[in-house]
């Protein structure tokens, strides 16, 4: 049974909520512009006189809009108690990606995660990112362009060849290459065009193909995006992505007093989670973290657990997958809070799967991804690195607690240098990730333990930097005759100049154990 699209139980409640929000928006927008007027990014230069008059104008408009916002708040806030913590967009104009799942056929699924920093414009500027609405449009178009472009297979004939590759960077002629709108922060000669592979390899230890890719991989099936806090930005993403991903969960999270009537935990922002899937969503559930502190407590960060319908097997039983995404507590030095949140994540996932698993269906993947806000190289993150979550789920980039695999890249960019030539375009950032000396300048370094000097990297190990964006998977929760393995891992530079993270994707191979299947059928 498909989910209803509206977050509210009926049209009347939804209409009252919409009226309240319409009254709030002008006041919110004037306040946003007031703050943005004096907070500029490193790319911008504002004249003092222009800043002064903008501040005066938007402050006056903010005061005029306040009474209307108060009335809107009185309508909006109480309705949060009956609001489902997400909305669901189902695109009916494209065919469902749902098909027969053949028992003897090996298939694969593509997953990606990216933190977009689509906060209100004034808040995003504290991360050196402005123009939230323009960035949202460009991000959506770039993702759709990368995922939906033609896939080309390249045969590599060399002693180190790993055979037939399906690169995420296709070699296309300019005449046939779809163009992506320019980032307003880039020059015309940095237009986003596909180029030949530059940074790609094959890890013989675990048989994984890895790549620093200047485009999103083709045929991604599910994408989790974090920090999509701005409602208008979310709509722009939906507009761009819905021709490719027919099922989208957005506006995920809770608002106002949570739990109700406890004003000390007022939520001004939702969770920022946004999931786009090619597969129908059968079930979804959201939990927010009750232990957030400081500025993180203003947002309803938490876990979104989903159950997706992949198709039917040869016995005409449902084939499903579990996809979970989260965004953990951000401030450094607060690993205890993150560990408690990881405990909640594992419990909530277990409860969701126990309540939504049907005995005669096939479960073919169980994925957990998102921005964990800790890495696998910082001494300050030792608690999180040793959490039991990593005994349940497999991290394909991790060699062990505190140790990354040598081909891995950090995913957190240094914010003051986002617009420098070495990192402000997909191609330049791709080259930078392949150069250890440049990588040190632009990827955030590990965080030392309190009161101790940092020794990094260890002798003979490459400099990787902070990888805080994860895609994990596990085998134990799948139907027993399915086996999984990671085929490819991509660190994606396609959104360079638009966000302060490096998106990550994996391709997860699924294989049916034919002998087990035959025994079951007998």
């Amino acid at each position: 049974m498909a989910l209803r699209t509206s977050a509210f139980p009926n049209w009347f409640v939804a209409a009252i909520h919409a009226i309240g929000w319409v009254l709030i928006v002008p006041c919110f927008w004037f306040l946003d512009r007031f703050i943005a007027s004096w907070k500029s990014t490193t790319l911008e230069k504002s004249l003092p006189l222009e800043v002064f008059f903008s501040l005066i104008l938007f402050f006056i408009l903010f005061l005029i809009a306040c009474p209307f916002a108060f009335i809107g708040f009185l309508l909006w806030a109480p309705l949060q108690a009956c609001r489902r913590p997400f909305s669901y967009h189902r695109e009916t104009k494209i065919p469902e990606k749902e098909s027969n799942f053949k028992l003897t056929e090996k298939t694969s699924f593509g997953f990606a995660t990216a933190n977009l920093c689509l906060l209100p414009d004034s808040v995003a500027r504290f991360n050196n990112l402005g123009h939230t609405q323009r960035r949202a449009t460009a991000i959506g178009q770039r993702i759709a362009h990368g995922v939906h472009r033609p896939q080309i297979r390249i045969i590599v004939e060399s002693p180190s060849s790993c055979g037939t590759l399906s690169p995420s960077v296709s070699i296309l002629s300019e005449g046939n290459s779809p163009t992506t709108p320019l980032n307003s922060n880039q020059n015309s000669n940095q237009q986003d065009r596909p180029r030949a592979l530059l940074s790609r390899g094959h890890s013989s230890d675990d048989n994984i193909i890895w790549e620093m890719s200047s485009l999103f991989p083709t045929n991604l099936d599910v994408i989790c995006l974090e920090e999509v806090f701005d409602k208008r930005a979310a709509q722009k993403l939906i507009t761009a992505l819905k021709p490719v991903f027919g099922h989208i969960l957005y506006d995920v999270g809770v608002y106002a007093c949570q739990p109700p009537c406890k004003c000390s935990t007022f939520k001004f922002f939702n969770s920022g989670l946004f999931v786009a899937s090619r597969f129908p969503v059968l079930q979804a559930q959201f939990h927010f973290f009750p232990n957030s502190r400081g500025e993180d407590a203003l947002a309803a960060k938490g876990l979104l657990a989903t159950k997706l319908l992949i198709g039917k097997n040869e016995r005409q039983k449902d084939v499903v997958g579990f996809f979970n995404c989260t965004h953990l507590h951000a401030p450094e030095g607060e690993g205890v809070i993150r560990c408690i949140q990881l405990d909640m994540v594992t419990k909530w996932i277990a409860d969701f799967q126990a309540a939504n698993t049907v005995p005669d269906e096939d479960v073919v993947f169980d994925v957990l991804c998102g921005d964990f806000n800790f890495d696998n190289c910082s001494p300050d993150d030792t608690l999180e690195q040793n959490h039991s979550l990593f005994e349940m789920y497999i991290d394909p980039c991790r060699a062990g607690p505190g140790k990354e695999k040598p081909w891995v890249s950090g995913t957190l960019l240094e914010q003051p240098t986002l617009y420098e030539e070495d990192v402000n375009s997909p191609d330049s950032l791709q080259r930078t990730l392949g150069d250890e000396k440049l990588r040190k300048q632009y990827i955030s370094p590990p965080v030392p333990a309190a009161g101790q000097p940092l020794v990094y990297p260890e002798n003979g190990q490459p400099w990787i930097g902070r990888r805080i964006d994860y895609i994990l998977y596990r085998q134990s929760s799948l139907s027993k005759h399915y086996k999984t393995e990671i085929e490819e891992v991509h660190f994606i530079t396609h959104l360079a100049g638009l966000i302060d993270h490096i998106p990550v994707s994996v391709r997860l191979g699924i294989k049916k154990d034919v002998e087990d299947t035959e025994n079951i059928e007998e």
Side-chain angles (χ1 to χ4, degrees):
M1 181 178 177
L3 295 174
R4 73 172 190 267
T5 57
S6 174
F8 294 96
N10 57 64
W11 67 267
F12 180 76
V13 176
I16 298 298
H17 179 271
I19 292 171
W21 184 244
V22 166
L23 292 172
I24 293 172
V25 166
C27 180
F28 179 82
W29 189 82
F30 293 140
L31 178 62
D32 182 47
R33 298 320 306 160
F34 172 78
I35 299 173
S37 296
W38 62 263
K39 183 62 178 177
S40 60
T41 67
T42 57
L43 193 70
E44 299 169 328
K45 292 182 180 179
S46 300
L47 298 175
L49 194 61
E50 179 185 355
V51 171
F52 174 77
F53 283 111
S54 295
L55 288 173
I56 296 297
L57 173 63
F58 288 120
F59 183 69
I60 293 172
L61 292 173
F62 167 72
L63 293 178
I64 293 172
C66 277
F68 300 98
F70 179 72
I71 296 171
F73 179 82
L74 295 178
L75 295 173
W76 173 86
L79 295 180
Q80 303 311 308
C82 63
R83 175 185 173 273
R84 186 185 63 184
F86 58 84
S87 295
Y88 180 36
H89 175 87
R90 184 171 59 246
E91 186 66 22
T92 58
K93 297 179 181 179
I94 62 174
E96 305 279 7
K97 186 174 180 179
E98 178 186 343
S99 60
N100 290 333
F101 193 85
K102 296 182 180 179
L103 295 177
T104 58
E105 184 179 81
K106 181 177 180 180
T107 188
S108 63
F109 300 96
F111 306 96
T113 183
N115 184 316
L116 305 186
C117 195
L118 292 177
L119 289 148
D121 192 49
S122 58
V123 183
R125 288 170 179 272
F126 287 90
N127 287 3
N128 200 22
L129 290 164
H131 308 290
T132 293
Q133 306 308 318
R134 277 189 272 173
R135 285 194 300 114
T137 299
I139 288 168
Q141 290 174 341
R142 288 194 187 189
I143 294 174
H145 160 227
V147 172
H148 200 51
R149 73 187 190 282
Q151 184 177 18
I152 293 179
R153 302 183 71 84
I154 301 175
I155 307 297
V156 180
E157 296 180 354
S158 70
S160 61
S161 171
C162 53
T164 303
L165 305 181
S166 302
S168 63
V169 183
S170 304
I171 300 177
L172 303 173
S173 66
E174 292 187 9
N176 296 327
S177 172
T179 58
T180 301
L182 280 175
N183 174 7
S184 61
N185 302 328
Q186 297 175 10
N187 296 324
S188 60
N189 61 353
Q190 294 173 326
Q191 193 167 358
D192 184 16
R193 294 172 180 163
R195 292 186 57 174
L197 300 178
L198 294 177
S199 303
R200 187 178 177 90
H202 177 214
S203 173
S204 57
D205 293 338
D206 44 23
N207 199 33
I208 294 177
I209 296 172
W210 58 269
E211 182 181 342
M212 311 299 177
S213 169
S214 63
L215 288 173
F216 273 86
T218 57
N219 297 325
L220 284 177
D221 294 297
V222 192
I223 295 181
C224 170
L225 305 175
E226 299 88 49
E227 293 197 8
V228 185
F229 292 112
D230 188 274
K231 291 176 180 289
R232 289 191 298 149
Q235 290 298 325
K236 287 176 168 59
L237 285 176
I238 292 171
T239 299
L241 296 179
K242 66 184 182 181
V244 182
F245 299 98
H247 304 271
I248 297 175
L249 295 174
Y250 64 100
D251 198 12
V252 178
V254 294
Y255 294 96
C257 298
Q258 297 296 333
C261 302
K262 290 189 177 181
C263 296
S264 60
T265 56
F266 194 93
K267 302 299 181 184
F268 288 90
F269 300 105
N270 60 27
S271 71
L273 297 174
F274 180 107
V275 171
S277 169
R278 295 181 189 264
F279 303 112
V281 181
L282 293 177
Q283 298 290 339
Q285 189 175 67
F286 174 79
H287 295 274
F288 74 94
F289 298 129
N291 67 333
S292 299
R293 290 184 187 173
E295 67 272 15
D296 258 33
L298 300 177
K301 287 184 176 180
L303 171 81
L304 176 64
T306 69
K307 179 181 179 181
L308 308 178
L309 178 61
I310 310 304
K312 301 285 186 180
N313 61 21
E314 292 183 348
R315 294 176 288 116
Q316 293 304 300
K317 301 296 183 181
D318 285 350
V319 178
V320 302
F322 290 108
F323 184 79
N324 314 283
C325 52
T326 189
H327 189 184
L328 301 183
H329 191 66
E332 296 175 0
E334 299 188 358
V336 173
I337 293 178
R338 280 186 288 274
C339 282
I340 294 172
Q341 292 180 347
L342 288 174
D343 291 339
M344 295 177 191
V345 164
T346 56
K347 180 184 183 301
W348 290 335
I349 290 176
D351 292 346
F352 177 79
Q353 294 184 2
N356 292 284
T357 299
V358 179
D360 60 349
E361 68 186 4
D362 284 348
V363 179
V364 295
F365 62 76
D366 181 358
V367 171
L368 169 63
C369 66
D371 181 350
F372 288 9
N373 272 314
F374 66 85
D375 59 59
N376 196 36
C377 63
S378 291
D380 190 56
D381 292 335
T382 301
L383 272 177
E384 301 96 304
Q385 294 162 8
N386 289 276
H387 194 273
S388 60
L389 172 77
F390 295 103
E391 298 173 7
M392 305 174 193
Y393 282 86
I394 300 170
D395 180 357
C397 299
R398 167 183 162 118
K403 185 178 181 181
E404 300 280 51
K405 293 180 180 178
W407 46 265
V408 169
S409 168
T411 62
L412 183 61
L413 294 168
E414 291 280 72
Q415 293 171 351
T417 58
L418 289 177
Y419 306 113
E420 293 194 8
E421 189 176 355
D422 287 328
V423 292
N424 70 352
S425 73
D427 290 337
S428 63
L429 180 55
Q430 183 192 37
R431 289 190 294 269
T432 294
L433 293 183
D435 185 321
E436 185 170 327
K437 183 178 178 181
L438 288 174
R439 200 160 61 232
K440 292 179 182 179
Q441 299 179 37
Y442 300 106
I443 300 294
S444 292
V447 181
Q452 297 182 14
L454 177 65
V455 179
Y456 181 82
E458 296 180 0
N459 290 335
Q461 297 298 314
W463 197 99
I464 291 172
R466 302 198 69 196
R467 177 179 64 92
I468 66 174
D469 301 274
Y470 292 76
I471 302 180
L472 315 179
Y473 70 100
R474 68 172 165 180
Q475 176 69 43
S476 60
S477 57
L478 309 190
S479 300
K480 65 179 182 179
H481 39 278
Y482 286 100
K483 307 296 180 185
T484 60
E485 62 179 5
I486 290 291
E487 296 179 351
E488 298 182 7
V489 176
H490 300 263
F491 298 92
I492 304 160
T493 65
H494 203 168
L495 303 183
L498 297 173
I499 64 175
D500 57 354
H501 285 238
I502 295 172
V504 180
S505 77
V506 303
R507 181 148 289 277
L508 185 63
I510 312 292
K511 188 175 182 180
K512 190 85 167 185
D513 190 318
V514 179
E515 292 184 3
D516 284 352
T517 301
E518 291 175 350
N519 292 335
I520 291 173
E521 291 178 345
E522 290 175 1

